[in-house]
Amino acid sequence: QVQLVESGGGLVQAGDSLRLSCAAAGSTFSLYTMGWFRQAPGKEREFVAVINWNGTQTVYSDSVKGRFTIFRDNSKNTAYLQMNSLKPEETAVYYCAAKRSYLALTSGVYTYWGQGTQVTVSS
């Protein structure tokens, strides 16, 4: 079992930056691939970024590539999502998720989820 808690969301203006954190507890954090997803009102949950167990592999959605960075600190049992140049259309609840083994972009294969943190980007 892994418990995930996101933090760092808030209200920002377009072009601003935010750093989201995902703190994990209950199991060996370094065993897990960590993903970030987001869900806007009325829309399906979408993939944002994923990182492998030791941080050597990352994948980003095309919409955030070059602006967002996913990284992790296994000594702190925490994954992060650094978000720069935020856009109003990126207003959503952001979720972190964990799974064993390979990187995945599909939310359905993730085993554990946090409760989400709201990010609101004003224009």
Side-chain angles (χ1 to χ4, degrees), residues 1-4 27 31-35 37 45 50 95-115:
Q1 288 280 349
V2 177
Q3 294 81 45
L4 303 174
S27 186
L31 292 176
Y32 293 88
T33 289
M34 298 299 298
F37 294 80
R45 191 168 298 187
V50 61
Y95 299 90
C96 68
K99 65 178 299 292
R100 296 289 297 271
S101 191
Y102 59 89
L103 297 179
L105 281 62
T106 305
S107 61
V109 301
Y110 282 79
T111 309
Y112 303 104
W113 289 84
Q115 83 290 347

Side-chain angles (χ1 to χ4, degrees), residues 5-38:
V5 179
E6 302 96 334
S7 61
L11 172 63
V12 298
Q13 294 187 331
D16 285 352
S17 298
L18 271 179
R19 178 177 292 183
L20 306 182
S21 299
C22 174
S27 186
T28 304
F29 180 66
S30 60
L31 292 176
Y32 293 88
T33 289
M34 298 299 298
W36 284 97
F37 294 80
R38 64 189 179 189

